[in-house]
Every structure is written in structure tokens, then in C-alpha cells.
Amino acid sequence: MKNLVFFGALALFLASCTNVVFVSPQPEYIDALTDIPEKYHGIYEFEDSTINKDSYLVTDSSVGEFVLGDSLIVKQRGNYFYLNFFEENAYTVYVVKITHSLNYENIEMLFPNITDENAYLFNIINIEEIKAYDKDQIMFKSRPNYLIDKVSVNQMSVLLHQPISDDIVRLKRRK
């Protein structure tokens, strides 16, 4: 989980890696964590330092400068942690996947994305805004993110089966 929270803080610096924002924190049917378990406390950074060279401290109530409950909501489903950052009236979500095998810990950050091929599967709230942008090809303005609502477990799986991801490493455990 600490890896997930760490990835969440780093994810804010990688906003261009996702093109989706959500009406509510994801997954919708899971309660938010009230604190980060001690076994996830520590210092983390991205394995590829060309992406982000900063290190992030994870404590019981924060990830870097982000405090649980303020602008950060963390949810857990199995070995997936969902970092929900609230900004501009929507949630940007990054997912940290943690796997263990023998004495090896693998932490991967996944960036949800909608493609032209799967967009029809989602309840896109701002579809007219996106169509207008695509039609007008407005210069010097970034394409709006897809704002989606009522995301099912299957839909979240589709969003996470994209090739956009990054590895994270834990530098040291916090004592």
C-alpha cells in the first residue's frame, strides 16, 4: 500500500500519462482507507529517474505533501491501491499494483486511459466537449480529459489494461 500511496504523489507529476478523470473516487464501491498501514511507510521513487527524480515519504496519513482526506483518498482492492487526487472538481486516479514473490517486491504504477477503440464502453459526461475539440482542432489548448461516471469493476479493468505504466522502488522503510 505504501508503494501505492507513493505512486499517487508521483502521479501528480505525471498527469499527462492519463486522459481520464472521475466524478467520484474509485473504485466507487470500496471504502477509503483512514490511515496507511505501517508496513507501507517509507521512502519511494520511480525506478526510471528520467521521469521524476524526487523521493517521497509515506507516513500513516500522508504521501509526500498530500494528506489523506484533504485532496487524497486511497482505496485498496486486493494488491491494487487506488490513489484518488481531487482537483478542479474531479478525481484523477492512479493505480499502484504491488506483487510479491519469495523475497522480491514489484511495484508498478498504472495510468488509466481511454482510447478511441474503448471509449464507447464508458459513461463519458463531457463527450460533447471532446467532440467539439476534435472537430475544431483547437490550437494551443490541450484536449480535455474524459470525465466518466459510474465505473464498474470490468470497466476499471479495461482502463488499466493499457501499456502505460512505470515501476517504483522502495528506498528504505521508515522506522
Side-chain angles (χ1 to χ4, degrees):
M1 170 147 141
K2 81 179 163 181
N3 293 335
L4 180 66
V5 176
F6 171 71
F7 284 116
L10 295 176
L12 288 181
F13 298 102
L14 301 171
S16 63
C17 294
T18 184
N19 66 354
V20 181
V21 292
F22 300 84
V23 170
S24 56
Q26 297 301 310
E28 294 179 27
Y29 55 88
I30 294 176
D31 291 335
L33 298 175
T34 56
D35 61 348
I36 299 167
E38 188 175 339
K39 68 180 181 177
Y40 297 113
H41 298 181
I43 299 173
Y44 298 84
E45 70 180 26
F46 280 101
E47 191 168 77
D48 181 357
S49 63
T50 60
I51 294 171
N52 187 331
K53 295 179 184 191
D54 294 334
S55 297
Y56 296 88
L57 174 65
V58 174
T59 68
D60 63 337
S61 62
S62 66
V63 175
E65 64 186 58
F66 302 97
V67 177
L68 285 181
D70 288 349
S71 59
L72 172 64
I73 295 173
V74 177
K75 297 185 176 193
Q76 179 182 4
R77 180 175 172 250
N79 62 335
Y80 289 84
F81 292 87
Y82 297 80
L83 304 173
N84 294 269
F85 294 94
F86 187 72
E87 53 191 358
E88 298 180 20
N89 297 317
Y91 290 91
T92 302
V93 178
Y94 302 97
V95 181
V96 177
K97 179 183 176 185
I98 303 172
T99 54
H100 293 93
S101 59
L102 298 175
N103 292 328
Y104 180 73
E105 176 181 64
N106 184 53
I107 305 167
E108 184 179 16
M109 178 170 267
L110 307 172
F111 304 98
N113 273 283
I114 289 180
T115 64
D116 290 339
E117 292 79 30
N118 68 19
Y120 73 94
L121 297 170
F122 302 96
N123 180 22
I124 301 171
I125 304 297
N126 63 338
I127 193 68
E128 294 305 319
E129 181 182 10
I130 289 176
K131 286 179 181 177
Y133 175 87
D134 289 346
K135 177 183 162 225
D136 297 337
Q137 297 179 352
I138 303 166
M139 299 299 283
F140 307 111
K141 183 179 177 186
S142 63
R143 186 174 195 242
N145 289 327
Y146 291 95
L147 175 62
I148 60 176
D149 193 15
K150 297 182 173 61
V151 181
S152 71
V153 174
N154 291 338
Q155 288 172 318
M156 183 58 74
S157 294
V158 168
L159 289 173
L160 296 177
H161 280 81
Q162 304 301 318
I164 301 172
S165 67
D166 245 314
D167 292 332
I168 296 176
V169 294
R170 182 185 336 206
L171 299 178
K172 70 178 192 177
R173 292 186 185 271
R174 186 164 184 238
K175 297 179 180 185

